[in-house]
Structures are given as C-alpha cells and as structure tokens.
Amino acid sequence: MLATALCGVLITGCSSGSGGEGDDAKTKPAAEPKTVAAGALRPLLLSQADLGSGYVEVHEKTESGKFDDVSVQGCPSLEKLGQSGEEAKFASKAETSFTYDTDATLGEELHSDRPSVLSSKLRALFGAYTSCPTYTMTAGTTPIRVSVAKSATPKLGDEQFAYTSTMELPSGAQVLKTMAVRKGNVAVMLVGAPALVDRHINAAVGKLPAGN
C-alpha cells in the first residue's frame, strides 16, 4: 500500500544534537534521563481498548530493506534525510498500526532517546518534511506527487510537531496527518487519517510516563 510506504519512510535520517549550560565551570551538567528500552515502550502503545470499536490492529513483520524502493525527488532536504542511514534512528522504538472501518489507517510509533537528541532529531525531521510545499515520491516505478502543509498542534508534552500530506495516488488523493509529541525522553508519533490522529493524540500522550 503506497500510503503505508510513506508512513514507513517518515522516520528516516536526521542529524542529532545535544546541549547543556552551567554557571559554574566545576559543575557538571545534569545527566539526562536514560533511554527507555523497546520492551518497556510497547505497553505504552495505543490498544484497541484505548481506541474503541471499529479499529482492527494490523500485524506486520518488519523487514530489512522494506522501503529501499521508495525515493524522493524535488526536495533537497528530504533527499538528504533519506541518505543519512543509521544516524537517523532513535535509540529505541515500538510501533503498531490499525485500520478503521476498513479504509482509514492509524499508525503509532514510540521513540526514546536522551531528551536533547529526541528534540534535535524531531526538529530536523519535521523541518525537512515541511521545507518543500511539493515534491515527488517514487514507490517502485510509481511517481506520486505529494503536497505538504504545516498543521496546528495541541499544547501537549514538552514539544509538538505536525504536518499534513496530500498524496496524488492512482486511485485518487489521500490525506495523511503526521503529529509528534515529545514528553521528556519519549516521543509519540501518530500518522494516519487527520480525524483519527486528532481524535487519539491526547490518549497516546496520556499513556507516556509522567515527566523525568
């Protein structure tokens, strides 16, 4: 499914960074919270019980090189992002996805890393995706025109990011919303039908650990 391919390509390369300040040269910066392991992230994912009726969880096996045939043209920032390789990944990750009424999708990813790294990478990621109002994504041999617009975000967690993508698929236009909220050393990202993302972002953030 081409829409799923775009969701999967979303978390790709971006630069990392960190920072710290101190008034006293003899005082070390406060240590950042440690990464939450993938096994500890999984119970924090949304479940069918959280979402309500009409949702069916999709069980997909993660395959190496699954998105190797997806490329981007016409947006230098995204092209560079896709070439970043292993540097792009967060320290740990858990994910799940659902269909709703058979034709709508909602995917969730949880990522954990040091707060400064999460912040830096999310800013770079969403900055790249919103840097070009239009670009072309090629999945296999199928070129897909994508239009992107920044979206408003609710005041949740420590940082919030969102944009909406409209893909011109052979079957017609499809709109996906991508929203991420960082809360300390964990970030939640929802990707899917805009109404579903807006409906469930509060519940997704509510399952994250209480502050660090």
Side-chain angles (χ1 to χ4, degrees):
M1 182 177 173
L2 294 178
T4 302
L6 180 62
C7 294
V9 171
L10 176 64
I11 301 298
T12 52
C14 50
S15 61
S16 63
S18 60
E21 296 182 39
D23 294 329
D24 188 338
K26 296 181 181 180
T27 302
K28 294 182 179 179
E32 292 190 280
K34 294 182 179 180
T35 298
V36 179
L41 287 176
R42 292 189 189 100
L44 305 178
L45 290 166
L46 291 170
S47 66
Q48 287 175 288
D50 297 317
L51 298 174
S53 62
Y55 292 86
V56 177
E57 188 172 6
V58 179
H59 297 281
E60 293 183 350
K61 293 183 179 180
T62 302
E63 302 174 6
S64 178
K66 183 178 179 181
F67 302 109
D68 286 351
D69 64 344
V70 178
S71 60
V72 170
Q73 302 84 37
C75 186
S77 295
L78 281 181
E79 292 175 41
K80 181 178 179 181
L81 191 70
Q83 298 168 357
S84 300
E86 294 298 316
E87 296 179 1
K89 298 181 180 179
F90 298 101
S92 63
K93 171 184 176 181
E95 61 185 320
T96 188
S97 60
F98 301 85
T99 59
Y100 178 68
D101 284 350
T102 71
D103 60 351
T105 62
L106 179 68
E108 180 186 20
E109 294 184 358
L110 292 178
H111 298 274
S112 183
D113 214 315
R114 300 194 315 275
S116 61
V117 174
L118 276 179
S119 178
S120 175
K121 289 190 175 185
L122 287 171
R123 287 179 181 277
L125 178 68
F126 279 78
Y129 268 90
T130 56
S131 65
C132 302
T134 61
Y135 63 89
T136 299
M137 181 181 75
T138 301
T141 58
T142 304
I144 302 165
R145 181 178 173 83
V146 183
S147 302
V148 179
K150 290 184 179 181
S151 300
T153 58
K155 296 298 182 182
L156 297 171
D158 300 311
E159 291 183 283
Q160 318 85 25
F161 310 86
Y163 65 85
T164 302
S165 304
T166 302
M167 299 181 294
E168 301 297 337
L169 302 173
S171 57
Q174 181 165 1
V175 180
L176 291 175
K177 188 170 188 176
T178 302
M179 184 179 295
V181 174
R182 181 184 70 81
K183 190 176 180 182
N185 61 346
V186 179
V188 58
M189 182 174 292
L190 296 186
V191 184
L196 300 187
V197 171
D198 291 341
R199 185 184 306 168
H200 297 295
I201 188 63
N202 282 279
V205 174
K207 297 190 74 168
L208 300 185
N212 299 292

